[in-house]
Amino acid sequence: MKFFTMAWFSPAHTEPMKTRATTAPPRNMPNGFRNLNIVTGKEKKRRRIEDVTEKMAVVGGHGDAGCDWDGRWNHVRKFLERPGPFTHPDFEPSTESLQFLLETCKILVIGAGGLGCELLKNLGLSGFRLIHVVDMDTIDLSNLNRQFLFRPKDVGRSKAEVAADFINSRIPGCRVVPYPFHPRFSQLKNTSDIVYEFHIIVCGLDSILARRWMNGMLISLLSYEDGVLDPSSIIPLIDGGTEGFKGNARVILPGMTACIDCTLELYPPQINFPMCTIASMPRLPEHCIEYARILQWPKEKPFGDISLDGDNPEHIAWVFERAQERAAEFNITGVTYRLTQGVVKRIIPAVASTNAVIAELGLSDGQELAVADVTTPQTVLFKLNFTT
């Protein structure tokens, strides 16, 4: 049996004077009385939101003790301060773990795209407060369907800056420092000194070259004493990636486990088309786009002696027009502007739900690594099995 609450209002009051529970409203009840139930439900929801907002009020800005209201981290304490059936045998519950996450642990997130947005949200809501994010890309309109930290007004702005502003404004106490594309950042020579400050590196990249660069950087930071690896020099790398409904997340301990260069064959090969097919026997719309990109662009040089820029709308439009001409010549259909963008920029299909799952796996691994840092001085010697 369905119940509803009916409230009676007085013209001089905005609050309900009397409420009572009854069964479903009679069919002959006027519509005005039926709407009272809806009004009351909205009012209750508004009050709940106000109560939560008051609890989340930050006294004196982010970082003050006022942002930690009673019970805020109860969900995190449940798995940091007690053992469980799926925890590693070496796991030591500790009340110090949460304080380490809140006050000490520094995380570097590389990439603020589909996976990076999920990672930043998960990290901020799980107690990680000292987060730095690197992304030299800008927001495109096509990003908005899955990269939920961005809005239409943010198109053209730096992903790192917008993502950091969003997290800082929505999660009290969290301090995200952005590193967007900037001449000063691109000319840094002591990048290794900056990376060494972090406890964990989390990658949400779509480039194998960028992964290999970061992998090499972490390996270069390793130190050995009499041929024995110093565990304190290890900075764990959590790497995640998605492609459509497929995805993976793994932890790499430089110098101890197989690194990215050791497992390059695990990454899907880049799709390439035979040159003879592109030049003489195109059968797919992708062949026509590749013909315009590989053969016509360097030959005609439509914008002078510069290379094709996949982020330049004028360059994409030129390739799109030439690809349409090529397709019409061979009676091929399916050449669209969006497909042209995808082929030129090597865009991989992205699904928001896949990003969410992979980000959650990476977060679980990151929490275990952080707990290992505070419970044992030798970082992550036993972090090869995960609760996920």
Side-chain angles (χ1 to χ4, degrees):
M1 180 179 295
K2 296 182 179 179
F3 292 88
F4 79 106
T5 301
M6 184 170 66
W8 300 93
F9 288 84
S10 169
H13 298 83
T14 58
E15 296 296 328
M17 297 176 60
K18 179 181 179 182
T19 61
R20 65 186 180 90
T22 182
T23 58
R27 295 182 179 179
N28 59 354
M29 178 177 288
N31 291 334
F33 289 100
R34 289 174 177 268
N35 292 335
L36 292 178
N37 178 42
I38 301 175
V39 173
T40 306
K42 290 182 178 180
E43 181 67 18
K44 289 181 178 179
K45 183 177 180 181
R46 183 186 65 81
R47 290 178 181 177
R48 286 198 300 269
I49 294 175
E50 288 180 352
D51 292 341
V52 173
T53 305
E54 289 178 2
K55 292 180 180 179
M56 294 176 60
V58 182
V59 181
H62 293 311
D64 289 349
C67 66
D68 286 338
W69 57 89
D70 291 340
R72 179 181 182 184
W73 303 113
N74 285 347
H75 64 295
V76 180
R77 287 192 174 94
K78 288 181 179 179
F79 61 85
L80 290 182
E81 299 179 1
R82 64 182 184 179
F86 301 106
T87 55
H88 195 278
D90 293 328
F91 173 72
E92 298 178 7
S94 172
T95 57
E96 299 176 1
S97 300
L98 179 60
Q99 293 305 313
F100 176 76
L101 294 185
L102 297 176
E103 301 173 2
T104 307
C105 188
K106 290 185 67 175
I107 304 285
L108 175 62
V109 177
I110 305 177
L115 194 56
C117 286
E118 293 281 356
L119 287 168
L120 289 170
K121 178 258 296 181
N122 290 349
L123 289 168
L125 293 175
S126 299
F128 294 92
R129 285 179 166 172
L130 306 178
I131 306 172
H132 294 233
V133 57
V134 177
D135 198 311
M136 298 186 181
D137 198 5
T138 56
I139 300 169
D140 187 75
L141 185 63
S142 61
N143 302 146
L144 302 183
N145 68 328
R146 63 193 182 280
Q147 299 176 19
F148 53 85
L149 300 183
F150 311 138
R151 299 293 181 268
K153 62 182 178 62
D154 300 322
V155 171
R157 295 182 59 194
S158 164
K159 286 186 176 181
E161 290 182 340
V162 175
D165 292 342
F166 192 99
I167 296 295
N168 289 337
S169 63
R170 294 295 292 271
I171 304 180
C174 191
R175 296 185 294 275
V176 181
V177 180
Y179 293 92
F181 178 77
H182 191 279
R184 179 180 62 83
F185 180 80
S186 62
Q187 296 173 3
L188 284 177
K189 297 182 179 179
N190 298 324
T191 310
S192 58
D193 295 338
I194 298 176
V195 173
Y196 201 74
E197 298 176 1
F198 297 96
H199 294 89
I200 302 172
I201 311 293
V202 185
C203 285
L205 296 166
D206 57 3
S207 168
I208 296 179
L209 282 177
R211 285 184 171 94
R212 296 184 67 182
W213 183 88
M214 177 52 62
N215 179 75
M217 173 64 66
L218 296 180
I219 290 178
S220 68
L221 296 177
L222 298 176
S223 61
Y224 293 83
E225 296 180 3
D226 299 328
V228 179
L229 176 63
D230 180 8
S232 63
S233 65
I234 298 175
I235 302 178
L237 172 65
I238 302 176
D239 179 46
T242 64
E243 182 174 353
F245 291 103
K246 301 177 182 179
N248 76 289
R250 61 172 176 161
V251 175
I252 297 173
L253 308 179
M256 293 182 59
T257 64
C259 67
I260 289 178
D261 281 340
C262 298
T263 56
L264 284 177
E265 68 277 1
L266 296 179
Y267 293 98
Q270 190 172 0
I271 298 176
N272 294 306
F273 302 103
M275 184 60 68
C276 57
T277 302
I278 295 174
S280 57
M281 296 184 299
R283 299 185 299 274
L284 301 173
E286 290 85 351
H287 296 163
C288 303
I289 298 171
E290 288 287 70
Y291 179 84
R293 182 181 74 88
I294 298 175
L295 299 178
Q296 290 186 290
W297 179 275
K299 181 180 179 180
E300 299 184 20
K301 297 181 179 179
F303 296 92
D305 204 11
I306 59 175
S307 58
L308 176 62
D309 182 4
D311 294 319
N312 190 321
E314 295 181 355
H315 292 192
I316 297 295
W318 187 92
V319 174
F320 174 54
E321 293 174 1
R322 295 300 181 272
Q324 282 186 315
E325 295 172 0
R326 179 75 169 173
E329 181 182 350
F330 289 88
N331 296 321
I332 298 173
T333 59
V335 176
T336 63
Y337 185 86
R338 185 169 184 175
L339 179 63
T340 304
Q341 273 187 314
V343 173
V344 172
K345 298 177 65 175
R346 302 291 184 182
I347 295 177
I348 299 173
V351 178
S353 57
T354 309
N355 291 333
V357 172
I358 297 302
E360 177 57 32
L361 292 176
L363 172 66
S364 300
D365 296 341
Q367 286 173 328
E368 288 208 15
L369 293 172
V371 172
D373 259 336
V374 70
T375 55
T376 60
Q378 294 186 339
T379 342
V380 284
L381 292 178
F382 56 86
K383 289 297 152 187
L384 300 180
N385 298 316
F386 307 102
T387 58
T388 55

